[in-house]
Amino acid sequence: MADAKASGAFSKRGTFALVLFAALAFVAFLFLIGRGGLEGSGNNGQAHAAGTGLAGFAGLTRLLEEDGVWVERSRDRGALNDPGLLVLTPPANIDDEEFAEIIERRRTIGPTMIIAPKWFAMPAQGDRNSKPGWVHLLGASENWAMTIDGRTLSFPHIDLKDRTARWRGLGLSGTLPSKDALAAVEIGAVDAENSAGSESGFLAPLVEDGDGRMLVAYLADDGSYLDGDLYLDPERGDSAPVYGVMLVAEPDLMNNWGMAEEKRALLALDLIDIARQGTDGPVRFDLTLNGMGGSRNLLTLAFEPPFLAATLTLLLALAIAMWRAFTRFGPALRPAPAIAPGKSQLVANGAQVIARSGRMRLLREPYASLMRARIAHRLGLQPGDDEGIERALSARGAPALDPALEALASASNRKDLLRAARALRDLERTL
């Protein structure tokens, strides 16, 4: 026979653990959706912060994180307007006007580092030793150019013809990993309307090659001659703070290929530190220009200030409700059935019906016959043997039956009727 009080399949603690795990998993799922965590790693081998191939910059981000720098890999287009250092790794086919607008807007928001495109890479497919994101470098892409402050900056690729190129800057020096091509930055055509400032002082070199070509340069201007209303004349003292722009023409100094050598890795850390200009906040590597952006949605906003406070409050309320559900005071109250089962309850219900009807006098004769039969059964006699019943009762020292039956028959009210019935019941119980 099965135990009616057997416990369920899960204990109270096990049920709580399952519910808690499901709640946390659901919240994590919503967070990943909002943050674009379900969109894949983006490790397609191209030159961006998520790429682990030779041309990517995943090694640089990991190096910064190991050095204690707060790093973000941004898939949010709106983060282009956030303060802190923004590292842009534009593809070669980026729209020049759109890119120039981003740089111009950044001048009063925060410092910017631009790492120019260089290599044409193809995924390393069919190679048994290759890993996800690895690529074959098929050579340098076409020369790239960009416009900033009304000036055109070109990034030509110099054919090395299998010669080793050297670099020097910031107290360090070394060689480049590639012997195929070298990328530098040069000042191109000048917009006559925005030609203020000397051309020779427009770019300040930070890293050069053996022939004096600028591999990394700093935009040495105050932004006073930018077109538009963003900046005013600094000579009048009413200009907004203007942040600098660092141009990295040779990406092999900072990409995964470059991080394979200690001196180039140290140079990359120094360049990042200079580009930050002492600003707080994360070093944000943009991925939107490389086609891996995502628009903001309600889930994204739910985990960002000021809506983060409301989200945390809701989660706390859910936690309190779940805690109260598992730690309520006392057992659960079960409502009693309208009609209780059992013979006793059936008899009690019938008695209540008779009592309410006021016809208890009709019970005198049936109850007297019932009690005579039960007493005779107790004594082992026939119900009609009145003389035998009286002798047996007398022999046992019990009260006589006839006086009790006469008292029941002569009862004229409810109180006397109940007293005579109790006397008959007590007589039966003494046998």
Side-chain angles (χ1 to χ4, degrees):
M1 182 177 179
D3 186 2
K5 296 183 179 180
S7 61
F10 297 99
S11 64
K12 182 178 179 180
R13 183 176 300 177
T15 305
F16 179 80
L18 287 176
V19 174
L20 180 61
F21 175 77
L24 293 178
F26 181 69
V27 173
F29 178 73
L30 294 181
F31 180 78
L32 287 176
I33 292 178
R35 287 292 183 179
L38 301 180
E39 298 177 0
S41 64
N43 184 20
N44 55 8
Q46 300 305 309
H48 50 69
T52 59
L54 291 176
F57 299 94
L60 177 60
T61 60
R62 184 172 179 180
L63 176 63
L64 291 171
E65 289 173 337
E66 293 293 334
D67 201 46
V69 179
W70 179 12
V71 176
E72 285 188 1
R73 300 161 184 82
S74 174
R75 295 174 182 261
D76 183 9
R77 194 76 172 185
L80 294 173
N81 300 323
D82 291 343
L85 175 61
L86 177 66
V87 181
L88 301 176
T89 56
N93 60 348
I94 191 171
D95 182 80
D96 184 63
E97 293 183 1
E98 177 187 6
F99 191 64
E101 181 182 352
I102 294 174
I103 300 303
E104 181 179 351
R105 190 169 59 249
R106 288 287 307 172
R107 300 306 298 278
T108 56
I109 298 176
T112 308
M113 172 184 281
I114 303 172
I115 304 178
K118 177 182 178 181
W119 295 110
F120 182 71
M122 289 292 291
Q125 298 177 350
D127 190 348
R128 293 181 300 176
N129 297 324
S130 65
K131 296 182 179 180
W134 285 17
V135 295
H136 293 298
L137 299 183
L138 304 183
S141 60
E142 297 181 359
N143 293 345
W144 186 64
M146 62 172 289
T147 302
I148 184 170
D149 294 1
R151 293 167 169 81
T152 299
L153 300 180
S154 60
F155 296 79
H157 298 157
I158 297 92
D159 187 5
L160 293 177
K161 298 180 180 179
D162 204 27
R163 291 182 292 108
T164 300
R166 301 193 62 84
W167 60 268
R168 64 177 184 274
L170 305 182
L172 299 171
S173 62
T175 60
L176 292 174
S178 173
K179 296 183 179 181
D180 295 333
L182 174 73
V185 56
E186 299 177 354
I187 300 176
V190 180
D191 186 351
E193 296 181 1
N194 300 301
S195 59
S198 62
E199 293 304 312
S200 60
F202 180 64
L203 293 179
L206 294 177
V207 181
E208 298 178 323
D209 72 341
D211 297 327
R213 286 183 285 256
M214 288 184 288
L215 306 183
V216 180
Y218 208 88
L219 198 64
D221 76 303
D222 55 11
S224 60
Y225 42 79
L226 290 180
D227 186 18
D229 299 329
L230 282 177
Y231 312 104
L232 302 177
D233 188 355
E235 296 181 358
R236 301 205 311 263
D238 55 0
S239 62
V242 178
Y243 293 96
V245 178
M246 182 178 291
L247 304 170
V248 181
E250 180 50 81
D252 289 349
L253 293 172
M254 306 186 75
N255 58 21
N256 297 329
W257 200 3
M259 294 298 98
E261 201 269 329
E262 181 180 3
K263 289 186 177 180
R264 290 192 295 265
L266 293 175
L267 176 67
L269 292 177
D270 290 342
L271 291 176
I272 291 290
D273 186 59
I274 294 173
R276 296 182 73 179
Q277 294 185 259
T279 57
D280 297 327
V283 176
R284 186 174 292 104
F285 286 79
D286 176 71
L287 295 174
T288 63
L289 299 182
N290 303 95
M292 289 180 288
S295 60
R296 290 191 176 185
N297 50 48
L298 293 178
L299 291 178
T300 304
L301 296 176
F303 293 96
E304 293 182 359
F307 304 104
L308 179 60
T311 302
L312 294 178
T313 302
L314 177 61
L315 294 177
L316 181 61
L318 292 176
I320 293 175
M322 185 171 64
W323 173 73
R324 287 298 304 272
F326 280 91
T327 59
R328 57 189 173 192
F329 299 96
L333 296 179
R334 297 181 179 179
I339 300 177
K343 296 179 181 180
S344 299
Q345 187 64 36
L346 182 61
V347 172
N349 292 342
Q352 291 178 4
V353 171
I354 296 174
R356 289 175 179 274
S357 65
R359 303 290 182 90
M360 292 187 66
R361 65 183 183 278
L362 300 177
L363 296 177
R364 290 181 295 188
E365 292 183 6
Y367 189 72
S369 299
L370 175 64
M371 295 306 297
R372 182 185 289 110
R374 296 186 65 170
I375 291 174
H377 178 72
R378 294 266 186 175
L379 297 174
L381 301 173
Q382 294 296 327
D385 189 3
D386 295 339
E387 294 181 1
I389 293 175
E390 292 294 347
R391 288 195 302 270
L393 291 176
S394 178
R396 292 172 179 262
L401 178 60
D402 287 340
L405 293 175
E406 291 176 359
L408 178 64
S410 61
S412 59
N413 53 50
R414 179 179 179 180
K415 182 176 181 181
D416 293 341
L417 184 63
L418 292 176
R419 183 184 297 111
R422 289 194 186 98
L424 287 171
R425 186 191 61 181
D426 293 341
L427 174 59
E428 179 197 6
R429 289 183 176 181
T430 60
L431 302 179

mmCIF file with all atom_site columns, all heavy atoms in Angstrom, residues 188-210:
data_model
loop_
_atom_site.group_PDB
_atom_site.id
_atom_site.type_symbol
_atom_site.label_atom_id
_atom_site.label_alt_id
_atom_site.label_comp_id
_atom_site.label_asym_id
_atom_site.label_entity_id
_atom_site.label_seq_id
_atom_site.pdbx_PDB_ins_code
_atom_site.Cartn_x
_atom_site.Cartn_y
_atom_site.Cartn_z
_atom_site.occupancy
_atom_site.B_iso_or_equiv
_atom_site.pdbx_formal_charge
_atom_site.auth_seq_id
_atom_site.auth_comp_id
_atom_site.auth_asym_id
_atom_site.auth_atom_id
_atom_site.pdbx_PDB_model_num
ATOM 1   N N   . GLY A 1 188 ? 47.584 65.196 -48.373 1.00 0.00 ? 188 GLY A N   1
ATOM 2   C CA  . GLY A 1 188 ? 47.239 65.315 -49.782 1.00 0.00 ? 188 GLY A CA  1
ATOM 3   C C   . GLY A 1 188 ? 46.750 66.700 -50.112 1.00 0.00 ? 188 GLY A C   1
ATOM 4   O O   . GLY A 1 188 ? 47.265 67.715 -49.629 1.00 0.00 ? 188 GLY A O   1
ATOM 5   N N   . ALA A 1 189 ? 45.695 66.751 -50.929 1.00 0.00 ? 189 ALA A N   1
ATOM 6   C CA  . ALA A 1 189 ? 45.150 68.032 -51.370 1.00 0.00 ? 189 ALA A CA  1
ATOM 7   C C   . ALA A 1 189 ? 44.569 68.793 -50.190 1.00 0.00 ? 189 ALA A C   1
ATOM 8   O O   . ALA A 1 189 ? 44.100 68.232 -49.215 1.00 0.00 ? 189 ALA A O   1
ATOM 9   C CB  . ALA A 1 189 ? 44.078 67.810 -52.427 1.00 0.00 ? 189 ALA A CB  1
ATOM 10  N N   . VAL A 1 190 ? 44.574 70.139 -50.325 1.00 0.00 ? 190 VAL A N   1
ATOM 11  C CA  . VAL A 1 190 ? 44.129 71.011 -49.252 1.00 0.00 ? 190 VAL A CA  1
ATOM 12  C C   . VAL A 1 190 ? 42.929 71.805 -49.729 1.00 0.00 ? 190 VAL A C   1
ATOM 13  O O   . VAL A 1 190 ? 42.926 72.336 -50.840 1.00 0.00 ? 190 VAL A O   1
ATOM 14  C CB  . VAL A 1 190 ? 45.260 71.973 -48.809 1.00 0.00 ? 190 VAL A CB  1
ATOM 15  C CG1 . VAL A 1 190 ? 44.770 72.867 -47.687 1.00 0.00 ? 190 VAL A CG1 1
ATOM 16  C CG2 . VAL A 1 190 ? 46.479 71.190 -48.390 1.00 0.00 ? 190 VAL A CG2 1
ATOM 17  N N   . ASP A 1 191 ? 41.907 71.878 -48.877 1.00 0.00 ? 191 ASP A N   1
ATOM 18  C CA  . ASP A 1 191 ? 40.744 72.694 -49.167 1.00 0.00 ? 191 ASP A CA  1
ATOM 19  C C   . ASP A 1 191 ? 41.104 74.143 -48.905 1.00 0.00 ? 191 ASP A C   1
ATOM 20  O O   . ASP A 1 191 ? 41.466 74.518 -47.799 1.00 0.00 ? 191 ASP A O   1
ATOM 21  C CB  . ASP A 1 191 ? 39.576 72.260 -48.278 1.00 0.00 ? 191 ASP A CB  1
ATOM 22  C CG  . ASP A 1 191 ? 38.287 72.975 -48.635 1.00 0.00 ? 191 ASP A CG  1
ATOM 23  O OD1 . ASP A 1 191 ? 38.339 73.919 -49.435 1.00 0.00 ? 191 ASP A OD1 1
ATOM 24  O OD2 . ASP A 1 191 ? 37.232 72.575 -48.104 1.00 0.00 ? 191 ASP A OD2 1
ATOM 25  N N   . ALA A 1 192 ? 40.988 74.994 -49.906 1.00 0.00 ? 192 ALA A N   1
ATOM 26  C CA  . ALA A 1 192 ? 41.442 76.376 -49.792 1.00 0.00 ? 192 ALA A CA  1
ATOM 27  C C   . ALA A 1 192 ? 40.674 77.137 -48.723 1.00 0.00 ? 192 ALA A C   1
ATOM 28  O O   . ALA A 1 192 ? 41.210 78.042 -48.078 1.00 0.00 ? 192 ALA A O   1
ATOM 29  C CB  . ALA A 1 192 ? 41.297 77.079 -51.145 1.00 0.00 ? 192 ALA A CB  1
ATOM 30  N N   . GLU A 1 193 ? 39.386 76.819 -48.515 1.00 0.00 ? 193 GLU A N   1
ATOM 31  C CA  . GLU A 1 193 ? 38.603 77.549 -47.538 1.00 0.00 ? 193 GLU A CA  1
ATOM 32  C C   . GLU A 1 193 ? 38.979 77.180 -46.113 1.00 0.00 ? 193 GLU A C   1
ATOM 33  O O   . GLU A 1 193 ? 38.668 77.895 -45.176 1.00 0.00 ? 193 GLU A O   1
ATOM 34  C CB  . GLU A 1 193 ? 37.106 77.259 -47.753 1.00 0.00 ? 193 GLU A CB  1
ATOM 35  C CG  . GLU A 1 193 ? 36.601 77.766 -49.095 1.00 0.00 ? 193 GLU A CG  1
ATOM 36  C CD  . GLU A 1 193 ? 35.120 77.480 -49.265 1.00 0.00 ? 193 GLU A CD  1
ATOM 37  O OE1 . GLU A 1 193 ? 34.530 76.909 -48.312 1.00 0.00 ? 193 GLU A OE1 1
ATOM 38  O OE2 . GLU A 1 193 ? 34.560 77.817 -50.318 1.00 0.00 ? 193 GLU A OE2 1
ATOM 39  N N   . ASN A 1 194 ? 39.600 76.062 -45.910 1.00 0.00 ? 194 ASN A N   1
ATOM 40  C CA  . ASN A 1 194 ? 39.966 75.604 -44.568 1.00 0.00 ? 194 ASN A CA  1
ATOM 41  C C   . ASN A 1 194 ? 41.462 75.318 -44.513 1.00 0.00 ? 194 ASN A C   1
ATOM 42  O O   . ASN A 1 194 ? 41.890 74.268 -44.084 1.00 0.00 ? 194 ASN A O   1
ATOM 43  C CB  . ASN A 1 194 ? 39.184 74.351 -44.189 1.00 0.00 ? 194 ASN A CB  1
ATOM 44  C CG  . ASN A 1 194 ? 37.697 74.596 -44.184 1.00 0.00 ? 194 ASN A CG  1
ATOM 45  O OD1 . ASN A 1 194 ? 37.215 75.450 -43.467 1.00 0.00 ? 194 ASN A OD1 1
ATOM 46  N ND2 . ASN A 1 194 ? 36.967 73.850 -45.008 1.00 0.00 ? 194 ASN A ND2 1
ATOM 47  N N   . SER A 1 195 ? 42.239 76.242 -44.978 1.00 0.00 ? 195 SER A N   1
ATOM 48  C CA  . SER A 1 195 ? 43.681 76.010 -45.096 1.00 0.00 ? 195 SER A CA  1
ATOM 49  C C   . SER A 1 195 ? 44.476 76.682 -44.002 1.00 0.00 ? 195 SER A C   1
ATOM 50  O O   . SER A 1 195 ? 45.679 76.840 -44.123 1.00 0.00 ? 195 SER A O   1
ATOM 51  C CB  . SER A 1 195 ? 44.170 76.515 -46.464 1.00 0.00 ? 195 SER A CB  1
ATOM 52  O OG  . SER A 1 195 ? 43.883 77.905 -46.597 1.00 0.00 ? 195 SER A OG  1
ATOM 53  N N   . ALA A 1 196 ? 43.841 77.092 -42.940 1.00 0.00 ? 196 ALA A N   1
ATOM 54  C CA  . ALA A 1 196 ? 44.570 77.740 -41.868 1.00 0.00 ? 196 ALA A CA  1
ATOM 55  C C   . ALA A 1 196 ? 45.544 76.758 -41.243 1.00 0.00 ? 196 ALA A C   1
ATOM 56  O O   . ALA A 1 196 ? 45.312 75.566 -41.178 1.00 0.00 ? 196 ALA A O   1
ATOM 57  C CB  . ALA A 1 196 ? 43.596 78.269 -40.819 1.00 0.00 ? 196 ALA A CB  1
ATOM 58  N N   . GLY A 1 197 ? 46.622 77.266 -40.745 1.00 0.00 ? 197 GLY A N   1
ATOM 59  C CA  . GLY A 1 197 ? 47.623 76.388 -40.134 1.00 0.00 ? 197 GLY A CA  1
ATOM 60  C C   . GLY A 1 197 ? 48.646 75.971 -41.159 1.00 0.00 ? 197 GLY A C   1
ATOM 61  O O   . GLY A 1 197 ? 48.380 75.845 -42.332 1.00 0.00 ? 197 GLY A O   1
ATOM 62  N N   . SER A 1 198 ? 49.845 75.706 -40.727 1.00 0.00 ? 198 SER A N   1
ATOM 63  C CA  . SER A 1 198 ? 50.914 75.300 -41.622 1.00 0.00 ? 198 SER A CA  1
ATOM 64  C C   . SER A 1 198 ? 50.787 73.840 -41.963 1.00 0.00 ? 198 SER A C   1
ATOM 65  O O   . SER A 1 198 ? 50.423 73.017 -41.133 1.00 0.00 ? 198 SER A O   1
ATOM 66  C CB  . SER A 1 198 ? 52.272 75.565 -40.962 1.00 0.00 ? 198 SER A CB  1
ATOM 67  O OG  . SER A 1 198 ? 52.396 74.799 -39.795 1.00 0.00 ? 198 SER A OG  1
ATOM 68  N N   . GLU A 1 199 ? 51.101 73.480 -43.194 1.00 0.00 ? 199 GLU A N   1
ATOM 69  C CA  . GLU A 1 199 ? 51.016 72.085 -43.621 1.00 0.00 ? 199 GLU A CA  1
ATOM 70  C C   . GLU A 1 199 ? 52.070 71.238 -42.933 1.00 0.00 ? 199 GLU A C   1
ATOM 71  O O   . GLU A 1 199 ? 51.839 70.085 -42.626 1.00 0.00 ? 199 GLU A O   1
ATOM 72  C CB  . GLU A 1 199 ? 51.195 71.994 -45.142 1.00 0.00 ? 199 GLU A CB  1
ATOM 73  C CG  . GLU A 1 199 ? 50.061 72.624 -45.928 1.00 0.00 ? 199 GLU A CG  1
ATOM 74  C CD  . GLU A 1 199 ? 48.720 72.032 -45.560 1.00 0.00 ? 199 GLU A CD  1
ATOM 75  O OE1 . GLU A 1 199 ? 48.609 70.794 -45.507 1.00 0.00 ? 199 GLU A OE1 1
ATOM 76  O OE2 . GLU A 1 199 ? 47.793 72.792 -45.282 1.00 0.00 ? 199 GLU A OE2 1
ATOM 77  N N   . SER A 1 200 ? 53.226 71.832 -42.681 1.00 0.00 ? 200 SER A N   1
ATOM 78  C CA  . SER A 1 200 ? 54.288 71.053 -42.072 1.00 0.00 ? 200 SER A CA  1
ATOM 79  C C   . SER A 1 200 ? 53.970 70.700 -40.629 1.00 0.00 ? 200 SER A C   1
ATOM 80  O O   . SER A 1 200 ? 54.448 69.700 -40.107 1.00 0.00 ? 200 SER A O   1
ATOM 81  C CB  . SER A 1 200 ? 55.611 71.828 -42.140 1.00 0.00 ? 200 SER A CB  1
ATOM 82  O OG  . SER A 1 200 ? 55.469 73.073 -41.443 1.00 0.00 ? 200 SER A OG  1
ATOM 83  N N   . GLY A 1 201 ? 53.135 71.532 -39.952 1.00 0.00 ? 201 GLY A N   1
ATOM 84  C CA  . GLY A 1 201 ? 52.815 71.275 -38.562 1.00 0.00 ? 201 GLY A CA  1
ATOM 85  C C   . GLY A 1 201 ? 51.482 70.624 -38.357 1.00 0.00 ? 201 GLY A C   1
ATOM 86  O O   . GLY A 1 201 ? 51.048 70.476 -37.215 1.00 0.00 ? 201 GLY A O   1
ATOM 87  N N   . PHE A 1 202 ? 50.806 70.248 -39.418 1.00 0.00 ? 202 PHE A N   1
ATOM 88  C CA  . PHE A 1 202 ? 49.474 69.662 -39.276 1.00 0.00 ? 202 PHE A CA  1
ATOM 89  C C   . PHE A 1 202 ? 49.540 68.275 -38.662 1.00 0.00 ? 202 PHE A C   1
ATOM 90  O O   . PHE A 1 202 ? 48.675 67.900 -37.886 1.00 0.00 ? 202 PHE A O   1
ATOM 91  C CB  . PHE A 1 202 ? 48.800 69.621 -40.651 1.00 0.00 ? 202 PHE A CB  1
ATOM 92  C CG  . PHE A 1 202 ? 47.417 69.036 -40.615 1.00 0.00 ? 202 PHE A CG  1
ATOM 93  C CD1 . PHE A 1 202 ? 46.411 69.680 -39.917 1.00 0.00 ? 202 PHE A CD1 1
ATOM 94  C CD2 . PHE A 1 202 ? 47.118 67.865 -41.271 1.00 0.00 ? 202 PHE A CD2 1
ATOM 95  C CE1 . PHE A 1 202 ? 45.134 69.157 -39.879 1.00 0.00 ? 202 PHE A CE1 1
ATOM 96  C CE2 . PHE A 1 202 ? 45.851 67.329 -41.238 1.00 0.00 ? 202 PHE A CE2 1
ATOM 97  C CZ  . PHE A 1 202 ? 44.858 67.988 -40.542 1.00 0.00 ? 202 PHE A CZ  1
ATOM 98  N N   . LEU A 1 203 ? 50.573 67.500 -38.993 1.00 0.00 ? 203 LEU A N   1
ATOM 99  C CA  . LEU A 1 203 ? 50.757 66.159 -38.448 1.00 0.00 ? 203 LEU A CA  1
ATOM 100 C C   . LEU A 1 203 ? 52.049 66.118 -37.645 1.00 0.00 ? 203 LEU A C   1
ATOM 101 O O   . LEU A 1 203 ? 53.104 66.538 -38.115 1.00 0.00 ? 203 LEU A O   1
ATOM 102 C CB  . LEU A 1 203 ? 50.816 65.126 -39.576 1.00 0.00 ? 203 LEU A CB  1
ATOM 103 C CG  . LEU A 1 203 ? 49.535 64.901 -40.373 1.00 0.00 ? 203 LEU A CG  1
ATOM 104 C CD1 . LEU A 1 203 ? 49.778 63.860 -41.462 1.00 0.00 ? 203 LEU A CD1 1
ATOM 105 C CD2 . LEU A 1 203 ? 48.395 64.470 -39.472 1.00 0.00 ? 203 LEU A CD2 1
ATOM 106 N N   . ALA A 1 204 ? 51.943 65.605 -36.427 1.00 0.00 ? 204 ALA A N   1
ATOM 107 C CA  . ALA A 1 204 ? 53.117 65.437 -35.573 1.00 0.00 ? 204 ALA A CA  1
ATOM 108 C C   . ALA A 1 204 ? 53.481 63.964 -35.563 1.00 0.00 ? 204 ALA A C   1
ATOM 109 O O   . ALA A 1 204 ? 52.704 63.131 -35.097 1.00 0.00 ? 204 ALA A O   1
ATOM 110 C CB  . ALA A 1 204 ? 52.829 65.923 -34.157 1.00 0.00 ? 204 ALA A CB  1
ATOM 111 N N   . PRO A 1 205 ? 54.646 63.586 -36.093 1.00 0.00 ? 205 PRO A N   1
ATOM 112 C CA  . PRO A 1 205 ? 55.017 62.158 -36.164 1.00 0.00 ? 205 PRO A CA  1
ATOM 113 C C   . PRO A 1 205 ? 55.322 61.594 -34.782 1.00 0.00 ? 205 PRO A C   1
ATOM 114 O O   . PRO A 1 205 ? 55.972 62.232 -33.958 1.00 0.00 ? 205 PRO A O   1
ATOM 115 C CB  . PRO A 1 205 ? 56.256 62.180 -37.055 1.00 0.00 ? 205 PRO A CB  1
ATOM 116 C CG  . PRO A 1 205 ? 56.835 63.546 -36.890 1.00 0.00 ? 205 PRO A CG  1
ATOM 117 C CD  . PRO A 1 205 ? 55.676 64.471 -36.677 1.00 0.00 ? 205 PRO A CD  1
ATOM 118 N N   . LEU A 1 206 ? 54.851 60.393 -34.546 1.00 0.00 ? 206 LEU A N   1
ATOM 119 C CA  . LEU A 1 206 ? 55.154 59.660 -33.325 1.00 0.00 ? 206 LEU A CA  1
ATOM 120 C C   . LEU A 1 206 ? 56.032 58.445 -33.601 1.00 0.00 ? 206 LEU A C   1
ATOM 121 O O   . LEU A 1 206 ? 56.915 58.123 -32.816 1.00 0.00 ? 206 LEU A O   1
ATOM 122 C CB  . LEU A 1 206 ? 53.852 59.202 -32.649 1.00 0.00 ? 206 LEU A CB  1
ATOM 123 C CG  . LEU A 1 206 ? 52.934 60.305 -32.114 1.00 0.00 ? 206 LEU A CG  1
ATOM 124 C CD1 . LEU A 1 206 ? 51.668 59.691 -31.544 1.00 0.00 ? 206 LEU A CD1 1
ATOM 125 C CD2 . LEU A 1 206 ? 53.630 61.137 -31.064 1.00 0.00 ? 206 LEU A CD2 1
ATOM 126 N N   . VAL A 1 207 ? 55.779 57.781 -34.738 1.00 0.00 ? 207 VAL A N   1
ATOM 127 C CA  . VAL A 1 207 ? 56.574 56.625 -35.142 1.00 0.00 ? 207 VAL A CA  1
ATOM 128 C C   . VAL A 1 207 ? 56.898 56.788 -36.621 1.00 0.00 ? 207 VAL A C   1
ATOM 129 O O   . VAL A 1 207 ? 56.011 57.103 -37.429 1.00 0.00 ? 207 VAL A O   1
ATOM 130 C CB  . VAL A 1 207 ? 55.812 55.297 -34.911 1.00 0.00 ? 207 VAL A CB  1
ATOM 131 C CG1 . VAL A 1 207 ? 56.683 54.116 -35.312 1.00 0.00 ? 207 VAL A CG1 1
ATOM 132 C CG2 . VAL A 1 207 ? 55.384 55.166 -33.447 1.00 0.00 ? 207 VAL A CG2 1
ATOM 133 N N   . GLU A 1 208 ? 58.178 56.597 -36.968 1.00 0.00 ? 208 GLU A N   1
ATOM 134 C CA  . GLU A 1 208 ? 58.627 56.742 -38.350 1.00 0.00 ? 208 GLU A CA  1
ATOM 135 C C   . GLU A 1 208 ? 59.401 55.504 -38.771 1.00 0.00 ? 208 GLU A C   1
ATOM 136 O O   . GLU A 1 208 ? 59.833 54.704 -37.934 1.00 0.00 ? 208 GLU A O   1
ATOM 137 C CB  . GLU A 1 208 ? 59.512 57.981 -38.502 1.00 0.00 ? 208 GLU A CB  1
ATOM 138 C CG  . GLU A 1 208 ? 58.810 59.296 -38.190 1.00 0.00 ? 208 GLU A CG  1
ATOM 139 C CD  . GLU A 1 208 ? 59.763 60.479 -38.303 1.00 0.00 ? 208 GLU A CD  1
ATOM 140 O OE1 . GLU A 1 208 ? 60.953 60.304 -37.919 1.00 0.00 ? 208 GLU A OE1 1
ATOM 141 O OE2 . GLU A 1 208 ? 59.346 61.549 -38.763 1.00 0.00 ? 208 GLU A OE2 1
ATOM 142 N N   . ASP A 1 209 ? 59.565 55.361 -40.094 1.00 0.00 ? 209 ASP A N   1
ATOM 143 C CA  . ASP A 1 209 ? 60.416 54.278 -40.587 1.00 0.00 ? 209 ASP A CA  1
ATOM 144 C C   . ASP A 1 209 ? 61.822 54.815 -40.812 1.00 0.00 ? 209 ASP A C   1
ATOM 145 O O   . ASP A 1 209 ? 62.128 55.975 -40.485 1.00 0.00 ? 209 ASP A O   1
ATOM 146 C CB  . ASP A 1 209 ? 59.825 53.678 -41.861 1.00 0.00 ? 209 ASP A CB  1
ATOM 147 C CG  . ASP A 1 209 ? 59.956 54.608 -43.050 1.00 0.00 ? 209 ASP A CG  1
ATOM 148 O OD1 . ASP A 1 209 ? 60.155 55.838 -42.845 1.00 0.00 ? 209 ASP A OD1 1
ATOM 149 O OD2 . ASP A 1 209 ? 59.863 54.133 -44.195 1.00 0.00 ? 209 ASP A OD2 1
ATOM 150 N N   . GLY A 1 210 ? 62.674 53.999 -41.382 1.00 0.00 ? 210 GLY A N   1
ATOM 151 C CA  . GLY A 1 210 ? 64.065 54.409 -41.575 1.00 0.00 ? 210 GLY A CA  1
ATOM 152 C C   . GLY A 1 210 ? 64.232 55.561 -42.546 1.00 0.00 ? 210 GLY A C   1
ATOM 153 O O   . GLY A 1 210 ? 65.243 56.274 -42.506 1.00 0.00 ? 210 GLY A O   1
#
